[in-house]
Amino acid sequence: KTTPSWQELSNSLPELSSQKTKKIDSVLDPSTPKFSTQVPTLFRERHGWCPYSERVWLALEYLGKEYDEVLIDNTGHGPRPNYYYGTTPQMKFEDGKNMGESMDLVEVLDSGENLLYNKPDVNEKISSFRQIFPRNARPSSRAAFLFSYNGPLPKSEFERVLSDTNELLSETKGSFFCGEEFSAADVAWCPFLERYQYQLPCFYDGLNPRDSDKYPYLAQWYDAMENEIPEYLCRVKGNPSSWRKVLVMAGYGNAGDVPTDVMKRMQYIQNQEWESYNDVTKDLVTENEQNLWGKYISTRPYLAPTPSQEAAKIILSKNKAIINDIERQMKFKKEWKQKLSGMDLDQTLRALVDCLIIGEFEESSSTSGVSILASFLDDRMCVPRDMSELSALSIKRIAAKCMV
């Protein structure tokens, strides 16, 4: 089979509506934009690492509101635009007024909807977050409630947090913090519990927030978030490997080298994940994932019909930059030089995009380069910065063929 050209690949994707709202990365474009008077503008951390930004982002998505975005560097390494001051998140509303504080913003956004604050105990459950989560952790938006100034918090403290959270969830008749329906309490807790589920198992053996024997109500909450809230899984949620990268950079990156036992746990967890991605099916998207994606895109006609096609669309739009990045990484990293030397990068990337558009991948001698290149993209990718978890998962399933 002849690999389609970039133009042929572009033509094979369904014609989509243009997204009316805009997203500006202020690191790449620091000029002062003309702010909309029709929709609010969300200023959030550019990688999707800031949990407080995630609260407001999740609320906007769940409420189905149109909004512009300005991405702000919070790491201290990148430049900030002259027109922005303070922390993230912030919002500029249609009337030009600015506002900060994540849950204050969530409440304002819901004021005309009454979908998130319509439970009598919602504020009580929001307040419980501060009472239950650690109070002796060092401040950090990227490694929140994980570290003291001497390293990770003790295992017993994390176990207390998980047990108390599980007990709080046991008080309701449904899967969410206020019962059977998603609320502002889930918005408040979600970003932090999301990071805990992927980062805590790296610190200590036997520390798993999704352990249904130890924390059955918490495990039930995780399942409900991923299976009942399309806006979460299809856009806002980060993935396991990205949160491990953040842990290395933002946690131990500030405190020193990652301890050997933590690296071993990370490698073990990663190997288990690769095994799970490398299942017998050739499909890149499961039926349940497609059902959730279908619900999410029903009001977002600018997104591709499947998560894997959305990944293809994103790669298509950045193919030259991706190839330049591959060539740059090959110069500096021996691993990628060994794996990718001699490969026709343009042709192999087109073959990968073709698989994503079709939604299938079968391993063979002629497709081995595709899975290797997919593993490079997975290594370089940050979710949700670059794409949604579901779109990234379709790339992982291809990469898994060369990782196990």
Side-chain angles (χ1 to χ4, degrees):
K1 178 185 175 180
T2 303
T3 305
S5 66
W6 289 115
Q7 187 59 55
E8 289 170 333
L9 290 168
S10 181
N11 292 342
S12 67
L13 280 171
E15 187 172 344
L16 303 171
S17 301
S18 298
Q19 188 169 359
K20 296 178 182 178
T21 55
K22 60 186 178 183
K23 179 192 292 186
I24 298 170
D25 188 334
S26 66
V27 173
L28 304 178
D29 181 8
S31 62
T32 304
K34 182 179 180 181
F35 294 108
S36 175
T37 58
Q38 304 300 315
V39 297
T41 300
L42 169 65
F43 298 89
R44 66 175 177 87
E45 185 272 324
R46 69 192 294 256
H47 298 291
W49 294 345
C50 170
Y52 304 99
S53 293
E54 184 177 338
R55 283 173 165 177
V56 184
W57 192 17
L58 176 57
L60 283 163
E61 286 288 327
Y62 181 78
L63 295 170
K65 292 184 177 291
E66 290 190 340
Y67 59 98
D68 288 341
E69 293 177 274
V70 177
L71 307 183
I72 302 293
D73 183 83
N74 259 4
T75 65
H77 300 299
R80 278 193 164 203
N82 293 331
Y83 58 83
Y84 190 82
Y85 304 94
T87 59
T88 57
Q90 293 182 34
M91 292 198 75
K92 181 181 284 291
F93 290 96
E94 296 92 322
D95 60 4
K97 291 182 180 179
N98 293 311
M99 184 176 175
E101 295 299 327
S102 61
M103 294 311 296
D104 290 347
L105 286 168
V106 172
E107 188 166 11
V108 168
L109 291 170
D110 189 52
S111 59
E113 309 289 343
N114 198 31
L115 294 174
L116 296 174
Y117 281 87
N118 59 354
K119 306 294 186 296
D121 59 344
V122 64
N123 285 310
E124 177 186 345
K125 294 296 175 66
I126 293 171
S127 297
S128 295
F129 171 79
R130 280 294 180 186
Q131 297 166 9
I132 290 176
F133 259 64
R135 298 183 181 183
N136 56 338
R138 75 166 191 243
S140 173
S141 65
R142 292 176 290 145
F145 301 103
L146 292 175
F147 289 87
S148 69
Y149 287 98
N150 298 315
L153 297 173
K155 183 179 182 180
S156 59
E157 176 66 358
F158 290 132
E159 289 175 328
R160 180 199 62 77
V161 171
L162 298 178
S163 294
D164 289 355
T165 304
N166 185 70
E167 183 177 351
L168 184 67
L169 284 163
S170 74
E171 298 172 1
T172 69
K173 294 182 179 180
S175 300
F176 298 102
F177 276 94
C178 291
E180 297 180 353
E181 296 181 2
F182 181 80
S183 73
D186 301 289
V187 171
W189 283 78
C190 175
F192 304 93
L193 290 175
E194 175 187 324
R195 287 149 180 77
Y196 263 29
Q197 73 164 313
Y198 298 127
Q199 294 174 332
L200 294 195
C202 302
F203 288 133
Y204 302 105
D205 292 330
L207 187 62
N208 179 9
R210 294 192 79 151
D211 187 329
S212 58
D213 293 325
K214 291 182 179 179
Y215 315 112
Y217 298 100
L218 181 54
Q220 179 178 270
W221 178 85
Y222 280 119
D223 290 341
M225 286 296 300
E226 293 180 2
N227 292 300
E228 298 180 34
I229 311 299
E231 297 82 7
Y232 177 55
L233 189 66
C234 296
R235 187 62 198 103
V236 178
K237 183 177 178 290
N239 69 354
S241 56
S242 292
W243 287 128
R244 288 194 295 270
K245 292 174 187 175
V246 174
L247 178 60
V248 170
M249 292 183 292
Y252 289 104
N254 295 339
D257 293 333
V258 181
T260 301
D261 62 328
V262 174
M263 287 301 296
K264 286 182 178 178
R265 287 190 198 96
M266 286 185 176
Q267 188 61 54
Y268 175 76
I269 293 167
Q270 183 173 282
N271 290 342
Q272 285 189 313
E273 289 171 358
W274 283 124
E275 290 284 353
S276 70
Y277 300 142
N278 188 36
D279 53 25
V280 293
T281 179
K282 62 183 180 180
D283 294 333
L284 301 180
V285 180
T286 69
E287 182 178 355
N288 182 58
E289 290 164 357
Q290 184 56 47
N291 288 338
L292 285 166
W293 185 259
K295 292 176 182 177
Y296 180 66
I297 68 171
S298 63
T299 56
R300 297 165 176 86
Y302 49 86
L303 296 174
T306 73
S308 65
Q309 288 180 348
E310 182 66 16
K313 185 185 79 173
I314 292 169
I315 295 173
L316 267 166
S317 69
K318 301 178 179 180
N319 66 82
K320 292 181 180 178
I322 290 171
I323 291 174
N324 288 338
D325 183 57
I326 296 170
E327 292 173 339
R328 184 168 57 252
Q329 292 300 313
M330 287 173 65
K331 292 179 181 178
F332 298 109
K333 292 192 176 182
K334 185 177 180 181
E335 173 192 3
W336 294 118
K337 183 177 181 180
Q338 290 175 339
K339 290 182 177 181
L340 300 174
S341 288
M343 183 183 292
D344 185 332
L345 297 176
D346 187 89
Q347 187 273 335
T348 308
L349 189 60
R350 284 185 282 117
L352 171 59
V353 170
D354 193 31
C355 292
L356 291 168
I357 292 173
I358 296 169
E360 297 179 353
F361 178 76
E362 287 190 277
E363 189 177 20
S364 68
S365 58
S366 62
T367 60
S368 61
V370 173
S371 59
I372 293 171
L373 193 58
S375 71
F376 172 88
L377 295 183
D378 175 73
D379 181 68
R380 295 289 289 161
M381 194 183 307
C382 178
V383 175
R385 180 192 65 193
D386 300 316
M387 61 182 67
S388 72
E389 182 180 26
L390 288 188
S391 293
L393 187 54
S394 63
I395 294 174
K396 277 186 179 289
R397 287 180 174 136
I398 297 175
K401 302 303 180 182
C402 72
M403 299 299 289
V404 296

